[in-house]
Amino acid sequence: MAQFQGRGSARLGMAVGVILLCLLVHSVPAHAAVYTVGGSSGWSLTSGNWPKGKRFRAGDVLVFNYDSTSHNVVAVDRRGYTSCTSPAGAKVYNTGKDQVTLGKGINYFICSFPGHCQSGMKMAIAAV
């Protein structure tokens, strides 16, 4: 009986292992969802209730569409959300077509244009 030993069989085994690993990696389904904040109306003074009834997961992507001359999106902490202020170092998005990946826990967003957050242009999104 012939035995498969030596470098040739080791290379074959490694090649099969790499192929199986590649297949496994590419067969894992992507779970991230993409949401357009405010739906067709976009990020606006009336989009504060938009998240209600939706289930978000860490890794989901929020797309904020808005007029960048009138609004922005600021990722804030709970204090910034409650007080409608942007803490030092807060990430400010201002392109009008921003994409933000949700982290696990509560993600807070406000518009920092004067009076907008106070008028309801803010959102808290819990991601599991």
Side-chain angles (χ1 to χ4, degrees):
M1 274 207 228
Q3 296 265 341
F4 290 103
Q5 293 181 343
R7 287 188 219 166
S9 63
R11 286 184 186 154
L12 178 62
M14 180 160 308
V16 170
V18 168
I19 290 170
L20 289 174
L21 181 61
C22 288
L23 289 173
L24 177 65
V25 168
H26 289 291
S27 68
V28 175
H31 293 289
V34 177
Y35 295 93
T36 300
V37 174
S40 60
S41 299
W43 174 235
S44 68
L45 291 167
T46 60
S47 57
N49 289 326
W50 171 82
K52 289 187 178 173
K54 296 175 180 62
R55 290 186 45 91
F56 299 95
R57 295 184 178 276
D60 286 351
V61 176
L62 299 182
V63 177
F64 289 86
N65 293 320
Y66 57 93
D67 177 355
S68 62
T69 64
S70 302
H71 304 296
N72 64 10
V73 178
V74 185
V76 297
D77 56 16
R78 183 178 181 183
R79 177 179 286 163
Y81 176 82
T82 304
S83 65
C84 287
T85 58
S86 300
K91 176 67 177 163
V92 179
Y93 300 90
N94 54 18
T95 69
K97 295 184 180 299
D98 304 308
Q99 295 188 14
V100 180
T101 302
L102 294 174
K104 187 173 185 175
I106 302 178
N107 298 257
Y108 298 98
F109 304 98
I110 66 170
C111 176
S112 68
F113 276 55
H116 290 198
C117 179
Q118 294 84 348
S119 295
M121 198 167 178
K122 63 182 186 175
M123 175 177 310
I125 297 182
V128 294

